[in-house]
Amino acid sequence: QEQLVESGGGLVQAGGSLRLSCAASGRTFSYYGMGWFRQTPGKEREFVAAISRSGTNTYYADSAKGRFTISRDNAKSTVYLQMNSLKPEDTAVYYCAAGRLVGPTMPDYDYWGQGTQVTVSS
């Protein structure tokens, strides 16, 4: 079983950057594809990015393409989300997730972190 802990959120001005981290506690991190989702109040959780178990393949929502980069370090059991050129509409709670499938929907993932708040001011 994986326990996931996100960090790196905060307040940033529009145009700025943040790097989110998600550390996994289990010993089977490399068995899982990893994803990042985000959620704002009153809205469904939405897919942001995902990465395959080896890190070879990455996937992005249209809103993230060209600005966000997902990566992972299996030796450190950590997945990252580098976010550049941030916009106020990127404001949300960001969640990482681990799953045996790698996909853009919540059912693709088995384990979830508690989330980290990202706020982008205009």
Side-chain angles (χ1 to χ4, degrees):
Q1 185 171 355
E2 293 291 332
Q3 292 186 343
L4 307 174
V5 179
E6 301 96 336
S7 61
L11 174 64
V12 64
Q13 289 187 333
S17 298
L18 281 175
R19 188 194 196 202
L20 304 184
S21 300
C22 173
S25 63
R27 298 182 179 182
T28 57
F29 179 75
S30 62
Y31 293 0
Y32 294 99
M34 299 297 296
W36 285 97
F37 287 71
R38 66 187 183 187
Q39 189 170 22
T40 54
K43 293 188 177 181
E44 293 187 355
R45 197 168 296 186
E46 66 173 9
F47 171 74
V48 176
I51 189 166
S52 61
R53 290 178 292 179
S54 66
T56 301
N57 298 310
T58 57
Y59 311 89
Y60 296 94
D62 288 343
S63 60
K65 287 179 182 176
R67 300 189 300 127
F68 294 2
T69 302
I70 188 171
S71 62
R72 67 188 295 163
D73 185 338
N74 285 347
K76 295 183 179 180
S77 297
T78 302
V79 63
Y80 305 97
L81 185 68
Q82 177 68 44
M83 305 187 293
N84 300 328
S85 302
L86 283 162
K87 306 174 182 179
E89 50 264 44
D90 295 318
T91 295
V93 177
Y94 283 71
Y95 298 89
C96 71
R100 285 163 289 181
L101 300 176
V102 178
T105 66
M106 291 182 64
D108 293 328
Y109 299 89
D110 303 303
Y111 305 106
W112 292 84
Q114 293 301 305
T116 185
Q117 176 71 47
V118 171
T119 303
V120 184
S121 63
S122 57

